Amino acid sequence: MSQFKVQLLLDTGTVRVRDVVCSGECRHRSDEECTSATHLVFAYRGIFVRHVGRNDAVAEVNQLLFFNEAETYQVSHPIEGGDACLDLVIEEGHLRELAPQEQLRASGVLAFRRQRRRIDPRAQALVALLRHSLSRNVAETLEAETLALTLVRRSLGERTSHVAGASPGRQKLVDRAKLVLASDLSRRWTLAEIAAEVGVSPVYLTQIFQQVEAIPLYRYHLRLRLARALDLLGRYDNLTALGMDLGFSSHSHFSASFRQAYGRTPAEFQRSIRSR
């Protein structure tokens, strides 16, 4: 367990929020684990793969993963660098109220049918706002609880989230493409380079990725880089340098892309997490 660093950010009768950082030393499948409650896990840095039986799910910044109570799983880190996640446990009655019935299993125990859902950029912004506010100790308990429930509601909403609908083979192909992109976020990938790494044609890759994730491959890659910016905004004073480090061609390109995704410029978001 030495590869984990866990910080408890909030613990009330309604919600528990933890910041979990893993060094990623376990490149292959870990021993089987299980949890004593249902956890909603939002990766905000890095990537890992969760294995439940024969079902694999890539955990990255565009996804919410469900760790169901008493469900055994394994974890692996195919890419160096480890990962960091915001881990939420919502009181069961409240979570049942928030979760659409069709997303839950029919059994008496609260459990989600699928391992993951894709979240939208506004949910990513809520993850960053909640984490930065709690880690800087600038959010009051009532505000933090409200932010957490808003994040969960948005991440489970039919209009604000998406469940992948594809055969296992197509999902594995898309997951391989995600691992390629995550291996070097700042690289200006070409479609041919990604397709060559995955082992399919560029045309087929774009078609399958769009079908599975419901957004184009290039936009998905953009969201990976913007989510990394959300993670790093608290550390950078020079936002131009941040944009360039993430592979944007200019500060204006970075700022415009960030504002389109999150409704605020990087500078505005940075001020909001520092001055709250």
Side-chain angles (χ1 to χ4, degrees):
M1 295 298 292
S2 60
Q3 63 179 313
F4 289 95
K5 179 180 178 182
V6 181
Q7 181 183 7
L8 180 64
L9 300 179
L10 180 70
D11 193 1
T12 71
T14 300
V15 59
R16 183 170 80 243
V17 181
R18 300 185 306 163
D19 190 1
V20 181
V21 179
C22 178
S23 61
E25 297 171 10
C26 181
R27 298 296 297 276
H28 302 290
R29 290 195 184 201
S30 66
D31 294 333
E32 283 195 341
E33 307 171 50
C34 68
T35 66
S36 59
T38 295
H39 291 244
L40 279 62
V41 176
F42 299 86
Y44 65 84
R45 183 192 313 145
I47 197 167
F48 67 90
V49 180
R50 181 171 181 259
H51 312 272
V52 178
R54 297 182 178 180
N55 190 338
D56 299 340
V58 173
E60 40 84 14
V61 295
N62 290 295
Q63 305 288 334
L64 158 63
L65 259 67
F66 303 105
F67 285 61
N68 290 323
E69 178 183 350
E71 182 177 67
T72 58
Y73 65 91
Q74 296 170 291
V75 170
S76 64
H77 290 84
I79 294 176
E80 293 183 357
D83 65 87
C85 302
L86 201 67
D87 177 288
L88 274 65
V89 176
I90 306 295
E91 189 275 330
E92 182 173 329
H94 301 325
L95 186 54
R96 287 186 181 276
E97 189 175 352
L98 287 165
Q101 191 62 40
E102 59 271 17
Q103 295 183 27
L104 301 177
R105 294 177 184 169
S107 62
V109 177
L110 189 152
F112 287 86
R113 294 178 180 273
R114 298 179 179 267
Q115 277 207 72
R116 57 183 164 184
R117 288 186 73 86
R118 181 171 58 76
I119 59 175
D120 71 354
R122 300 303 170 94
Q124 290 178 337
L126 285 170
V127 171
L129 183 59
L130 180 61
R131 182 175 66 87
H132 285 302
S133 299
L134 287 173
S135 62
R136 292 171 178 267
N137 200 28
V138 295
E140 295 183 357
T141 301
L142 178 61
E143 179 186 11
E145 287 181 310
T146 303
L147 281 174
L149 294 181
T150 302
L151 168 61
V152 173
R153 184 182 297 110
R154 186 171 192 95
S155 300
L156 300 179
E158 294 298 329
R159 295 184 179 181
T160 51
S161 65
H162 169 75
V163 60
S167 66
R170 291 186 172 189
Q171 185 64 66
K172 286 182 181 296
L173 186 152
V174 168
D175 285 347
R176 290 203 303 272
K178 291 180 182 180
L179 293 177
V180 171
L181 293 174
S183 67
D184 190 350
L185 281 184
S186 62
R187 178 171 170 175
R188 296 181 182 178
W189 292 93
T190 67
L191 186 56
E193 289 171 339
I194 303 169
E197 291 284 344
V198 175
V200 296
S201 75
V203 173
Y204 187 72
L205 176 60
T206 56
Q207 290 175 339
I208 296 304
F209 201 97
Q210 174 77 43
Q211 290 173 11
V212 174
E213 294 296 332
I215 59 172
L217 177 62
Y218 78 89
R219 188 171 296 279
Y220 202 92
H221 182 224
L222 175 63
R223 289 186 182 179
L224 290 179
R225 293 187 291 156
L226 291 174
R228 182 60 172 152
L230 285 174
D231 174 34
L232 294 173
L233 276 175
R235 307 181 196 177
Y236 272 74
D237 291 322
N238 187 335
L239 295 181
T240 299
L242 173 58
M244 299 301 287
D245 288 347
L246 291 174
F248 290 91
S249 58
S250 65
H251 176 70
S252 60
H253 178 211
F254 170 48
S255 184
S257 298
F258 192 99
R259 183 169 188 171
Q260 183 179 29
Y262 304 126
R264 285 182 279 185
T265 66
E268 291 169 341
F269 195 93
Q270 186 181 66
R271 285 195 295 270
S272 73
I273 62 176
R274 289 182 173 179
S275 63
R276 292 167 63 82

